[in-house]
């Protein structure tokens, strides 16, 4: 077939998916395509599509494994709505994505066609039925023998088809192959030149194959930006933040979706003089971290929801004993082991209240991949200044998503000060609480005179175990007063949109991009709707009650469970609120409304748009 020479169609953005069975490398192809696009100057946001089981049934909707890549000529802050183009290695995995509303009428489906001639009649029948169904849905299907073309390069297409598809995408989106070859060389650098060469040939073959077989050719101009950029996912940004903050010790136990943070840290932290300790379980990991911090190290532990549950008792020890510690929680769906590979914002209340007794702690939530980096520096500083555990919440969407952001300029002030080696004044108790702030200086064992007995029991300011009527009250007062002191240093959150209006949408975490994009669309239609996004969840940022008073209605949008009033048996009296709404209602005494959902995937801006419009329309009869 002759090579196509169609002039490229210029676009502002496009959403691409690669979907396959587990183990066929769709994520690696998509990540590389996203990386190449970012280095070409496009805004990029990626979302991995990961089945819940390690080896799900092949050719099944539940086994859909892949990646979504949104590329554009502006900053991409979320996964967008329906995809414009999808490459599928079989037709059944598409149904897993169709169930999540991933495609629209007019979506181009580039489909592996070997199943049409499969020796098993049932598979041939499934393929034929799916083709008819896809046509009825309005998809534009391109049946192609991708695997047969790969066999001309390698006898095992399962280990190379993904790079072949990468070559196809490079042709369709005018990427050129140089950047892609460089990325491939980096990815397979440990496997040697033979493997790199094979994948380069597959890449080139894919580019030629697309030119010969597809009449699809797009140009997405780069995002105007003269600042140096870095491209990473959220877990890598956490790892970079750990080192930029001068943290010397990271202790963790592998758990999805937090594990890749430890892989990244383990590969480089030794170069900056730190160490990563993989403990035998989650409890041992935080115990190691607390012990290290008590001895004067700057320390962090990283986990996900079930791991946070196991760490709970030690988190309480950190609060009671006032040991600085940064705890990163990469949220996933729950309860129990829940949805290990899916996104949810379900750990906020557990982070805030999941401890016996009164255990106030600082809780921050990163809203972007860039913030995953910078929040580690802030968290380390706060942990040590306020002598308390600081929790940083991210989620699976941030952890695996790839986005370019301004390259941080490392600042020496980000590092912790050197340990105080001067003798400790023995007349100063180890908890010399300031009556106004609750703060106290921190003696370090090894500092002459700085030794003290650490206890998780209620204690006096000399760290002596105490059961008298006053000591526990004083200790609780001081630990809570630190939260009030921190809150007084924070600024009110910025409002996205007008400072007053009909409806204020409040969010937290990785929903920032979708909420802002939805609100921008609605504001362009003339509706008086604004949004704000909270980064500090304990203590809350100040001024919320005054801000809320300027809007007729306030509602949260979240990815955790809440009851909706149209559900059977649900009344205004027994309705369970979403988690941020629960906190805002308690702390501001404002009747904050809420909308939330738990689909196991990030919120598309189009869905947020529809829900805001629905709620705003319902307000028309309100006085």
């Amino acid at each position: 077939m002759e090579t196509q020479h169609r002039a490229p169609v210029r676009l502002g953005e496009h959403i691409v998916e690669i979907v396959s069975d587990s183990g066929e490398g769709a994520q690696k192809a998509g990540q590389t395509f996203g990386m190449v696009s970012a280095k070409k100057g496009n805004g990029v946001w990626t979302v991995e599509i990961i089945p819940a089981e390690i080896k799900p049934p092949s050719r099944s909707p539940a086994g859909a494994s892949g990646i979504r890549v949104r590329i554009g000529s502006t900053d991409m802050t979320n996964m967008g709505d329906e995809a414009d183009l999808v490459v599928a290695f079989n037709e059944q995995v598409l149904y897993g994505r169709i169930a999540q509303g991933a495609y629209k009428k007019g979506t181009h489906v580039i489909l592996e066609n070997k199943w049409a001639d499969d020796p098993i009649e049932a598979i041939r029948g499934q393929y034929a039925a799916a083709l008819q169904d896809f046509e009825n849905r309005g998809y534009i299907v391109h049946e192609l023998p991708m695997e047969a073309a790969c066999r001309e390069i390698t006898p095992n297409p399962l280990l190379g088809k993904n790079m072949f598809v990468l070559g196809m995408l490079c042709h369709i989106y005018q990427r050129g192959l140089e950047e892609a070859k460089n990325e491939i060389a980096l990815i397979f650098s440990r496997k040697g030149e033979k493997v790199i060469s094979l994948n380069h040939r597959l890449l080139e073959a894919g580019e030629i194959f697309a030119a010969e077989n597809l009449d699809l050719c797009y140009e997405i101009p780069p995002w105007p930006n003269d600042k140096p950029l870095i491209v990473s996912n959220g877990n890598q940004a956490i790892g970079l933040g750990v080192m930029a903050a001068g943290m010397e010790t990271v202790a963790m136990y592998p758990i999805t979706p937090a594990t890749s943070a430890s892989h990244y840290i383990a590969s480089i932290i030794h170069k900056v003089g730190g160490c990563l300790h993989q403990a035998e379980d989650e409890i041992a990991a935080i115990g190691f971290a607390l012990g290290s911090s008590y001895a004067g190290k700057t320390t962090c532990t990283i986990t996900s929801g079930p791991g946070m549950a196991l760490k709970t008792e030690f988190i309480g020890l950190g609060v009671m004993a006032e040991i600085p510690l940064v705890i990163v929680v990469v949220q996933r769906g729950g309860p129990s082991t829940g949805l290990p590979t899916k996104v949810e914002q379900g750990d906020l209340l557990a982070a805030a209240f999941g401890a016996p007794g009164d255990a106030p702690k600082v809780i921050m939530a990163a809203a972007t991949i860039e913030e995953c980096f910078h929040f580690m520096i802030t968290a380390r500083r706060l942990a040590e200044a306020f002598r308390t555990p600081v929790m940083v919440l991210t989620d699976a969407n941030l952890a695996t998503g790839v986005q370019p952001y301004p390259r941080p300029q490392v600042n020496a002030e980000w590092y912790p000060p050197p340990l105080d080696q001067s003798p400790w004044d023995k007349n100063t108790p180890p908890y010399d609480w300031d009556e106004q702030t609750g703060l106290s200086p921190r003696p370090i064992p090894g500092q002459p005179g700085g030794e003290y007995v650490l206890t998780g029991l209620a204690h006096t300011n000399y760290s002596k175990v105490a059961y008298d009527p006053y000591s526990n009250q004083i200790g609780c007062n001081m630990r809570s007063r630190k939260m009030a002191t921190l809150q007084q240093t924070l600024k009110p959150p910025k409002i996205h949109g007008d400072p007053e209006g009909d409806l204020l949408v409040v969010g937290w975490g990785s929903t920032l991009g979708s909420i802002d994009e939805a609100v921008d669309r609605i504001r362009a239609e003339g509706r008086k709707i604004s949004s704000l996004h909270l980064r500090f969840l304990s203590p809350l940022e100040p001024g919320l009650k005054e801000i809320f008073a300027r809007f007729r209605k306030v509602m949260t949008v979240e990815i955790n469970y809440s009851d909706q009033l149209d559900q059977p048996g649900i009344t205004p009296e027994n309705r369970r609120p979403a988690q941020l709404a629960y906190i805002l209602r308690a702390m501001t005494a404002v009747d904050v409304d809420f909308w939330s959902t738990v689909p196991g995937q990030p919120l598309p801006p189009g869905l947020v748009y529809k829900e805001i419009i629905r709620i705003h329309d319902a307000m028309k009869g309100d006085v």
Side-chain angles (χ1 to χ4, degrees):
M1 185 176 291
E2 292 185 359
T3 301
Q4 303 290 332
H5 294 289
R6 178 180 177 181
V9 177
R10 176 168 285 211
L11 301 170
E13 67 162 86
H14 235 212
I15 301 173
V16 185
E17 286 196 358
I18 308 171
V19 190
S20 69
D21 283 335
S22 184
E24 293 186 297
Q27 284 100 11
K28 185 168 290 183
Q31 289 163 353
T32 308
F33 179 62
M35 191 70 73
V36 169
S37 297
K39 290 184 175 180
K40 287 287 186 183
N42 285 128
V44 173
W45 186 276
T46 71
V47 176
E48 293 190 357
I49 303 159
I50 306 176
E53 300 175 25
I54 294 175
K55 192 62 180 174
S58 59
R59 287 182 49 79
S60 68
S65 176
I67 190 166
R68 165 174 287 213
V69 186
R70 187 183 186 190
I71 54 177
S73 299
T74 60
D75 186 18
M76 295 289 104
T77 63
N78 61 83
M79 73 170 191
D81 296 316
E82 298 93 347
D84 299 288
L85 183 147
V86 54
V87 182
F89 288 9
N90 71 69
E91 81 289 349
Q92 292 303 311
V93 292
L94 287 178
Y95 282 110
R97 301 294 298 145
I98 290 171
Q100 294 189 317
Y103 311 127
K104 60 188 175 185
K105 185 177 180 180
T107 295
H108 287 276
V109 178
I110 300 174
L111 182 62
E112 170 59 58
N113 73 352
K114 71 170 185 173
W115 311 103
D117 300 317
D118 195 272
I120 300 174
E121 182 179 356
I123 291 179
R124 295 198 304 273
Q126 286 180 341
Y127 184 80
L131 280 183
Q132 184 61 57
D133 183 41
F134 296 162
E135 181 180 335
N136 294 340
R137 292 175 184 271
Y139 305 159
I140 303 170
V141 181
H142 308 265
E143 295 180 85
L144 292 176
M146 293 180 279
E147 186 162 317
C150 286
R151 286 190 190 281
E152 297 178 7
I153 309 295
T154 174
N156 186 2
L158 282 178
L159 298 180
K161 200 166 166 180
N162 58 343
M163 293 297 112
F164 183 87
V165 169
L166 175 62
M168 293 174 62
L169 294 178
C170 285
H171 169 76
I172 294 171
Y173 291 96
Q174 303 291 288
R175 303 285 84 162
L177 294 189
E178 201 58 36
E179 291 281 2
K181 284 185 175 180
N182 291 340
E183 292 298 320
I184 288 173
L186 189 64
I187 292 168
F188 297 107
S189 59
R190 293 186 178 180
K191 295 190 176 182
E193 188 56 37
K194 187 175 179 181
V195 173
I196 294 172
S197 176
L198 172 62
N199 284 281
H200 279 175
R201 284 188 284 127
L202 285 161
L203 179 82
E204 292 166 346
E207 184 196 42
I208 296 170
F209 180 84
E212 292 178 343
N213 293 277
L214 287 168
D215 190 22
L216 300 173
C217 192
Y218 304 116
E219 177 190 5
I220 300 175
W223 172 31
N225 182 24
D226 56 1
K227 296 179 180 176
L229 299 176
I230 184 173
V231 185
S232 80
N233 64 35
N235 275 356
Q236 290 170 331
I238 289 286
L240 290 170
V242 162
M243 286 171 279
M247 296 184 191
E248 301 161 287
T249 306
V250 178
M252 69 174 296
Y253 181 76
I255 182 169
T256 302
T259 304
S260 66
S262 67
H263 292 166
Y264 182 69
I265 293 169
S267 68
I268 54 176
I269 195 170
H270 59 280
K271 296 178 180 178
V272 295
C275 73
L276 182 137
H277 172 71
Q278 180 175 317
E280 63 267 37
D281 57 36
E282 297 279 4
I283 299 171
I286 190 170
F288 185 95
L290 282 172
S292 177
S293 180
Y294 173 61
K297 296 292 185 182
T298 58
T299 311
C300 167
T301 186
I302 305 174
T303 189
S304 187
M308 182 181 68
L310 291 171
K311 293 179 191 293
T312 296
E313 187 171 356
F314 263 137
I315 294 174
L317 172 62
V319 173
M320 174 65 95
E322 303 190 37
I323 303 173
L325 179 64
V326 176
I327 305 164
V328 178
V329 179
V330 186
Q331 298 171 96
R332 67 190 205 185
S336 188
T337 42
L339 303 170
T341 59
K342 310 294 184 184
V343 66
E344 201 167 295
Q345 297 177 316
D347 295 339
L348 175 55
L349 294 182
F353 306 120
D358 183 65
K361 62 192 80 71
V362 178
I363 301 174
M364 306 164 64
T368 66
I369 291 171
E370 182 180 8
E371 287 183 358
C372 289
F373 172 86
H374 288 287
F375 277 25
M376 296 306 294
I377 299 159
T378 304
R380 198 272 303 159
R381 284 178 158 182
L382 292 177
E384 293 175 357
F386 288 82
R387 201 178 170 183
T388 189
V390 174
M391 303 184 79
V392 177
L393 303 183
T394 72
D395 60 39
N397 186 25
L398 294 174
T400 60
V402 169
Q403 185 186 35
Y405 54 91
R407 177 178 288 277
Q409 299 299 310
V410 176
N411 189 328
E413 293 182 357
W414 292 350
Y415 299 130
L419 281 178
D420 185 357
Q421 299 293 314
S422 62
W424 181 263
D425 182 354
K426 292 190 174 181
N427 295 317
T428 300
Y431 296 100
D432 189 26
W433 292 306
D434 180 272
E435 182 69 17
Q436 294 298 316
T437 66
L439 299 177
S440 59
R442 173 189 171 203
I444 303 294
Q447 183 179 8
E451 305 84 1
Y452 67 104
V453 176
L454 189 78
T455 178
L457 293 165
H459 52 262
T460 68
N461 60 343
Y462 279 93
S463 198
K464 302 295 184 186
V465 174
Y467 302 111
D468 61 85
Y470 309 109
S471 295
N472 188 54
Q473 182 68 48
I474 292 172
C476 286
N477 289 349
M478 295 300 109
R479 293 189 291 273
S480 184
R481 204 157 297 173
K482 289 192 290 187
M483 298 297 109
T485 300
L486 172 58
Q487 200 257 3
Q488 291 167 11
T489 70
L490 302 177
K491 296 179 180 177
K494 292 182 179 178
I495 299 175
H496 182 75
D498 294 329
E500 59 185 20
D502 290 338
L503 178 63
L504 178 69
V505 180
V506 184
W508 65 285
S510 68
T511 56
L512 171 66
S514 290
I515 291 176
D516 281 358
E517 185 171 323
V519 167
D520 286 343
R521 288 186 203 174
I522 296 169
R523 287 177 54 77
E525 297 171 2
R527 301 198 187 215
K528 297 178 179 178
I529 293 174
S530 302
S531 62
L532 69 78
H533 218 75
L534 295 173
R535 271 71 172 190
F536 277 88
L537 302 169
S538 173
L540 286 170
E541 289 154 52
L544 293 179
K545 194 166 185 177
E546 291 77 8
I547 293 172
F548 292 175
R550 300 200 292 266
F551 291 85
R552 290 174 56 207
K553 186 182 184 74
V554 179
M555 64 173 287
T556 66
V557 170
E558 307 178 53
I559 315 177
N560 52 52
Y561 182 77
S562 67
D563 290 328
Q564 300 305 309
L565 284 171
D566 58 356
Q567 295 169 337
I570 302 302
T571 68
E573 185 179 17
N574 64 21
R575 185 185 182 195
R576 292 176 57 216
Q579 298 199 10
L580 177 59
Y582 187 101
I583 291 175
L584 292 178
R585 291 159 76 100
M587 298 301 292
T588 67
V590 174
D591 186 18
V592 175
D593 199 358
F594 45 88
W595 175 80
S596 67
T597 183
V598 284
Q601 66 171 356
L603 289 182
L607 179 60
V608 178
Y609 170 90
K610 289 178 183 175
E611 289 300 324
I612 294 175
I613 290 290
R614 180 181 65 81
I615 290 169
H616 191 227
D617 285 346
M619 291 171 58
K620 289 180 179 176
D622 296 346
V623 177

